[in-house]
Amino acid sequence: MKRLLEVGKVLLILWGLLSLIATVVFVGIAAFALWGGSQEPNKTASINDVQFILNRCNLGGSRIEEVLHSYRSPIAMRGDGVDAHAIRVSHLEATELTRDDAGSGWVQGDQADGVLKDAIEFVLGWAHQDDIWWFPNRDELTSSEMYVYSWSIHFEGTHLSAAQLIFVRPKDKMVFYFDGKT
């Protein structure tokens, strides 16, 4: 009986230690999620940080000359937030901004319709923020001089909840990236 009490005591001590460790880990994760960790929202991304953007849309990251602007909002508990970048590239021709037979690929801003048009509206809902003042406005995004490439668009029911879009403006060799989730 005495042996059983000693084993029970050890098990209770172990349970207490595990509970303490779990509590500390949970509080740490919650604090990180609430205060955004150590992100620096207005730190300009490096060329290596944004190469994936041009690789995603088959333009190739090797043409990046400079990252002019970057913004990364603090990330909320559910992952909500926005990343945006303005990138200057060495070369960009309208002739390379094409669509495939299934309709995937580049679309001129003034020809966007349906879900893509909804996604551009979603972007414009974020673009009014002071932190991304440099991001193109409605007239620019929906003009024939801007092309848009949809990487992903997500809905929760009928509500657009996330979008990753790449915009390019060949006339001045600019690429704009938007990744937002609500």
Side-chain angles (χ1 to χ4, degrees), residues 79-84 122-123 126 152 154 160-165 177-182:
D80 299 358
V82 67
D83 288 349
F122 179 79
V123 170
W126 292 84
S152 74
H154 294 271
L160 198 148
S161 60
Q164 291 178 319
L165 301 178
Y177 175 71
F178 178 88
D179 177 0
K181 179 181 182 216
T182 59

Side-chain angles (χ1 to χ4, degrees), residues 25-151:
V25 168
F26 176 76
V27 168
I29 290 171
F32 178 83
L34 289 174
W35 289 289
S38 61
Q39 293 181 15
E40 297 178 46
N42 293 319
K43 179 183 175 193
T44 302
S46 72
I47 289 174
N48 289 336
D49 294 335
V50 298
Q51 282 182 332
F52 76 95
I53 296 168
L54 274 78
N55 290 336
R56 277 187 179 174
C57 60
N58 300 316
L59 293 177
S62 62
R63 65 175 76 198
I64 298 173
E65 284 187 347
E66 179 181 13
V67 181
L68 298 175
H69 302 284
S70 293
Y71 175 74
R72 173 170 276 169
S73 69
I75 305 299
M77 183 81 82
R78 288 180 13 144
D80 299 358
V82 67
D83 288 349
H85 303 284
I87 305 162
R88 183 184 340 243
V89 295
S90 59
H91 57 284
L92 184 61
E93 300 296 328
T95 56
E96 61 187 317
L97 306 174
T98 61
R99 276 201 230 185
D100 63 22
D101 293 337
S104 295
W106 294 97
V107 176
Q108 284 182 285
D110 63 342
Q111 295 176 9
D113 60 359
V115 172
L116 184 57
K117 188 173 184 178
D118 292 345
I120 292 171
E121 287 298 322
F122 179 79
V123 170
L124 290 167
W126 292 84
H128 70 278
Q129 297 180 42
D130 290 339
D131 294 322
I132 53 175
W133 56 267
W134 43 264
F135 205 84
N137 62 32
R138 176 182 306 279
D139 292 338
E140 293 170 308
L141 291 181
T142 59
S143 77
S144 62
E145 293 187 358
M146 188 74 75
Y147 291 77
V148 60
Y149 184 94
S150 169
W151 179 251

